């Protein structure tokens, strides 16, 4: 016999399932006729189409047509097919996110790509450094070759009188570098995700401080003072943050009255309207709400800075040039992962329930960041002969001690105020 508690639990689950299915049917009925078909389940149809594609691609009916004498080619095709099957499953069955535009299936696919990337990093973590470098050649033929790192601080003179072509050559080469636009667009994207200007400026100054801290390890971090302060902070970062916050203000001030695609005036607005947000949430970080909230927001900043640092350390350890498309693919993937991650983490902080669960994208982001960091530590062993400057060591120890004392005094003050209030 079932206990009374078990019967009540099963009854509650059944009611929840019935109510959720009823709500889903209501939502489908209220959808616009142009897009209603895309929100209905098509799992059986897509399973049939996927099976037919596998039969054709694998040569089940005609094995001789797909057989090749190259083992590497066969393994590559098998690995890509394995990834494709998993992504197809993610597209249909992965957990839903807080985002619904342009379509929930897009974010389920991003979830699958994040899992594939995490698994690939885990595989790379268990290889030797030289083997991992040669393995990268399977992803791109130009990899696996040691490349010199570019140093931006070899000549910090603004005016170069002996240069016949241009006496401001150093400024021109830095100002018209192709990474300047990438820098601006990167901060524009961060501003749209975080939506908090003080927090963005903390990240901006924090990354410049990270470059100063690790410049003895990576030649790429050796920048001139005018490059770091003027071009990076006061030009690129400021313009990207300004443009991003203006975009946030635009969406924050709009009135979101949902109109179906079939009711839009022209085809351009019908298509582009699907890529606009269905609603615009105000992210309230409140880092000074209390010591615990301060640590939670600080953790977000640390993860952000670690992901950015991992970009430079990974390409240094694995011999990936800055202009290689793999760098761009990784940045795009991280940007897609970060969009729902920030939403989930902010919802996690604002949730007042005693038992909370971290979102799927938050968990994946933290796990991926950790595995990337472990790869950098393992493969970087012995690559950095120069020690950190003594003043930097003293500086970071002082920052850690000051932060600890600040949190202790803050907690003590709040506890004392709470005790006085009880009296």
């Amino acid at each position: 016999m079932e206990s009374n508690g078990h019967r009540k639990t099963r009854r509650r689950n059944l009611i929840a399932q019935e109510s959720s299915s009823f709500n889903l049917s209501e939502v489908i009925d209220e959808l616009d006729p142009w897009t209603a078909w895309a929100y209905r389940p098509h799992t059986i149809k897509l399973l049939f189409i996927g099976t037919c594609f596998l039969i054709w691609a694998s040569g089940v009916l005609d094995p001789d047509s797909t057989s090749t004498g190259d083992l590497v080619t066969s393994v590559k095709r098998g690995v890509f097919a394995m990834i494709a099957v998993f992504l197809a499953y993610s597209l249909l069955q992965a957990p839903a996110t807080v985002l619904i535009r342009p379509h929930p299936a897009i974010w389920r696919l991003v979830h699958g790509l994040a899992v594939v990337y995490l698994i690939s990093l885990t595989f790379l973590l268990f290889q030797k450094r030289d083997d991992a470098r040669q393995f990268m050649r399977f992803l791109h033929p130009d990899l696996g070759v040691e490349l010199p790192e570019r140093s931006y601080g070899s000549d910090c003179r603004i005016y170069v009188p002996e240069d016949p072509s241009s006496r401001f050559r150093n400024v021109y080469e830095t100002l018209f570098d192709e990474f300047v636009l990438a820098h601006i667009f990167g901060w524009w994207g961060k501003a749209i995700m975080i939506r908090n200007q003080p927090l963005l400026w903390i990240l901006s100054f924090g990354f410049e401080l990270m470059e100063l801290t690790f410049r003895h390890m990576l030649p790429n971090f050796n920048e001139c003072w005018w490059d770091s302060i003027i071009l990076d902070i006061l030009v690129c970062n400021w313009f990207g943050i300004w443009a991003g916050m203006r975009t946030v203000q635009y969406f924050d001030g709009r009135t979101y009255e949902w109109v179906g695609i079939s009711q839009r005036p022209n085809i351009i607005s019908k298509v582009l309207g699907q890529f606009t947000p269905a609603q615009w949430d105000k992210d309230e970080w409140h880092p000074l709400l209390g010591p615990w909230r301060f640590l939670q927001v600080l953790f977000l900043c640390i993860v952000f800075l670690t992901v950015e640092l991992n970009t430079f350390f990974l390409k240094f350890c694995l011999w990936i040039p800055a202009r290689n498309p793999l760098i761009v693919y990784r940045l795009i993937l991280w940007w897609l992962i970060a969009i729902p991650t920030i939403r989930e983490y902010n919802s996690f902080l604002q949730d007042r329930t005693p038992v909370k669960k971290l979102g799927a994208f938050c968990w994946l982001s933290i796990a991926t960041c950790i595995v990337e960091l472990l790869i950098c530590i393992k493969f970087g062993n012995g690559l950095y002969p120069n020690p950190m400057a003594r003043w930097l060591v003293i500086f970071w120890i002082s920052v850690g001690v000051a932060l600890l004392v600040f949190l202790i005094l803050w907690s003590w003050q709040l506890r004392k105020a709470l005790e006085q209030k009880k009296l």
Side-chain angles (χ1 to χ4, degrees):
M1 291 180 63
E2 288 181 325
S3 63
N4 190 29
H6 284 287
R7 286 197 300 269
K8 291 181 179 179
T9 302
R10 289 184 59 187
R11 191 181 301 114
R12 284 196 299 265
N13 293 338
L14 182 60
I15 294 174
Q17 292 175 3
E18 290 176 353
S19 61
S20 63
S21 62
F22 175 76
N23 293 334
L24 179 61
S25 62
E26 281 188 343
V27 169
I28 292 177
D29 291 338
E30 293 176 359
L31 286 173
D32 187 83
W34 280 44
T35 57
W37 64 271
Y39 288 87
R40 292 189 175 92
H42 303 281
T43 54
I44 304 299
K45 298 176 185 177
L46 294 178
L47 177 62
F48 176 75
I49 294 173
T51 304
C52 295
F53 179 77
L54 279 180
I55 293 174
W56 169 77
S58 61
V60 172
L61 303 180
D62 188 9
D64 295 334
S65 62
T66 57
S67 62
T68 59
D70 188 5
L71 178 61
V72 175
T73 303
S74 299
V75 172
K76 279 185 178 180
R77 295 177 71 245
V79 171
F80 287 140
M82 178 180 62
I83 294 175
V85 169
F86 177 75
L87 292 180
Y89 166 79
S90 301
L91 184 71
L92 299 173
Q93 304 291 354
T97 67
V98 294
L99 302 178
I100 60 175
R101 293 286 185 92
H103 192 280
I106 301 296
W107 300 108
R108 292 198 296 265
L109 180 62
V110 173
H111 181 275
L113 289 171
V115 174
V116 170
Y117 181 57
L118 176 60
I119 294 174
S120 303
L121 289 173
T122 307
F123 168 80
L124 205 63
L125 179 64
F126 282 82
Q127 311 307 311
K128 297 180 180 179
R129 181 172 60 200
D130 295 335
D131 295 338
R133 288 169 173 172
Q134 297 306 316
F135 173 78
M136 300 300 293
R137 299 181 63 182
F138 293 105
L139 302 179
H140 197 277
D142 296 338
L143 300 181
V145 180
E146 185 176 3
L147 298 173
E149 277 282 324
R150 178 182 177 182
S151 176
Y152 292 90
S154 57
D155 188 2
C156 291
R157 293 178 298 172
I158 298 177
Y159 183 74
V160 185
E162 67 273 10
D163 194 332
S165 60
S166 175
R167 290 180 173 84
F168 296 94
R169 174 178 54 85
N170 294 334
V171 178
Y172 288 153
E173 288 183 353
T174 305
L175 188 61
F176 293 100
D177 191 278
E178 65 269 21
F179 298 108
V180 171
L181 287 178
H183 205 154
I184 295 175
F185 280 111
W187 281 102
W188 174 79
K190 292 173 189 174
I192 292 178
M193 290 187 296
I194 296 178
R195 306 172 188 175
N196 186 284
Q197 194 160 351
L199 202 58
L200 289 167
W201 281 111
I202 290 175
L203 290 174
S204 176
F205 285 102
F207 184 74
E208 298 302 323
L209 191 58
M210 292 298 102
E211 286 186 336
L212 181 63
T213 302
F214 296 105
R215 66 191 307 177
H216 67 285
M217 303 173 70
L218 297 180
N220 193 252
F221 284 167
N222 287 312
E223 296 181 345
C224 301
W225 65 269
W226 48 267
D227 186 7
S228 179
I229 298 177
I230 298 178
L231 184 60
D232 283 353
I233 298 179
L234 300 181
V235 177
C236 295
N237 296 7
W238 174 84
F239 186 74
I241 293 174
W242 174 83
M245 293 307 297
R246 289 297 296 267
T247 307
V248 170
Q249 291 174 4
Y250 168 76
F251 284 109
D252 195 22
R254 288 183 59 188
T255 301
Y256 289 89
E257 183 177 354
W258 190 86
V259 177
I261 288 183
S262 61
Q263 302 176 22
R264 295 183 181 271
N266 53 66
I267 189 64
I268 296 178
S269 63
K270 290 178 180 179
V271 175
L272 296 181
Q274 194 65 18
F275 290 88
T276 58
Q279 61 181 9
W280 190 262
D281 299 328
K282 292 184 178 180
D283 290 345
E284 299 176 356
W285 298 104
H286 299 305
L288 301 180
L289 188 63
W292 182 239
R293 174 60 66 87
F294 180 84
L295 288 175
Q296 289 174 327
V297 178
L298 180 63
F299 176 75
L300 173 68
C301 297
I302 292 174
V303 172
F304 250 94
L305 294 175
T306 304
V307 171
E308 293 189 354
L309 286 174
N310 287 343
T311 305
F312 297 92
F313 280 98
L314 284 173
K315 70 185 186 68
F316 179 79
C317 295
L318 297 175
W319 293 348
I320 305 176
R323 293 174 176 83
N324 191 277
L326 289 181
I327 299 293
V328 180
Y329 299 156
R330 175 188 173 273
L331 292 177
I332 293 176
L333 178 60
W334 261 115
W335 182 67
L336 291 173
I337 295 173
I339 293 174
T341 296
I342 297 298
R343 302 278 74 73
E344 289 181 356
Y345 190 66
N346 189 263
S347 300
F348 177 80
L349 295 187
Q350 296 186 29
D351 190 2
R352 296 294 185 265
T353 57
V355 180
K356 299 186 290 185
K357 179 183 178 182
L358 201 63
F361 272 97
C362 276
W363 190 95
L364 276 174
S365 299
I366 297 172
T368 304
C369 178
I370 291 174
V371 177
E372 282 187 347
L373 181 61
L374 293 178
I375 291 176
C376 296
I377 295 173
K378 179 180 179 179
F379 293 167
N381 186 22
L383 296 181
Y384 315 111
N386 300 325
M388 183 181 291
R390 191 178 187 87
W391 70 271
L392 276 173
V393 177
I394 297 175
F395 170 77
W396 282 114
I397 292 176
S398 302
V399 169
V401 173
L403 180 62
L404 182 61
V405 172
F406 168 72
L407 291 175
I408 291 175
L409 292 177
W410 192 4
S411 302
W412 175 79
Q413 184 182 10
L414 290 177
R415 183 176 180 181
K416 185 177 180 180
L418 183 61
E419 290 177 353
Q420 291 179 355
K421 185 180 294 186
K422 289 181 178 180
L423 297 176

